[in-house]
Amino acid sequence: MADGSVMRARSDPGPVRLTLDEAISRLEAGKGEGVVVDLGEGRTAVADGHRGDDGLLQRLRGHRMLVALASGAADLSQFSTSPGTVNVAPLVQEILDAAVQRD
């Protein structure tokens, strides 16, 4: 500037982006308000669904499992079941039950 003063511009860094494991830890501790999760390759996840932080936590756990399955790092030994038995999470069972009900 002509009078010798300097103006400094600061860019707003925006919300802090957490790694997948950091975000899951925070959400499990009940401290997930405003969490933005860096999923890599420019993708992020936030609690924007009707289930809020609980929905984000479930999506992140699922994403972590899919990444582990894709990389071959998942330990599936804990999921051994007897043949012909299907185990599903309670919320999934609720959805399936609602889908088969007829009015």
Side-chain angles (χ1 to χ4, degrees), residues 13-20 22-23 26 34-46:
V16 176
R17 294 183 179 186
L18 303 175
T19 66
L20 182 62
E22 288 173 328
R26 261 200 208 175
V35 166
V36 177
V37 187
D38 183 357
L39 299 174
E41 298 181 21
R43 295 172 298 134
T44 59
V46 295

Side-chain angles (χ1 to χ4, degrees), residues 2 5 7 12-15 17 31 35-36 40 42 50 53 60 63 67-69 71 80-81 85 91 95 103:
S5 63
M7 182 172 70
D12 182 11
R17 294 183 179 186
K31 299 178 182 176
V35 166
V36 177
H50 71 280
D53 288 346
L60 294 178
H63 180 74
V67 169
L69 286 170
S71 69
S80 61
T81 60
T85 305
L91 287 174
I95 292 167
D103 292 324

Side-chain angles (χ1 to χ4, degrees), residues 43-100:
R43 295 172 298 134
T44 59
V46 295
D48 59 357
H50 71 280
R51 293 192 51 228
D53 288 346
D54 288 335
L56 177 60
L57 177 58
Q58 293 307 316
R59 291 192 332 251
L60 294 178
R61 286 175 175 161
H63 180 74
R64 182 171 59 184
M65 180 57 82
L66 289 174
V67 169
L69 286 170
S71 69
D75 176 18
L76 300 178
S77 63
Q78 63 179 331
F79 296 109
S80 61
T81 60
S82 58
T85 305
V86 177
N87 292 327
V88 295
L91 287 174
V92 173
Q93 187 62 54
E94 185 177 327
I95 292 167
L96 293 173
D97 290 343
V100 297

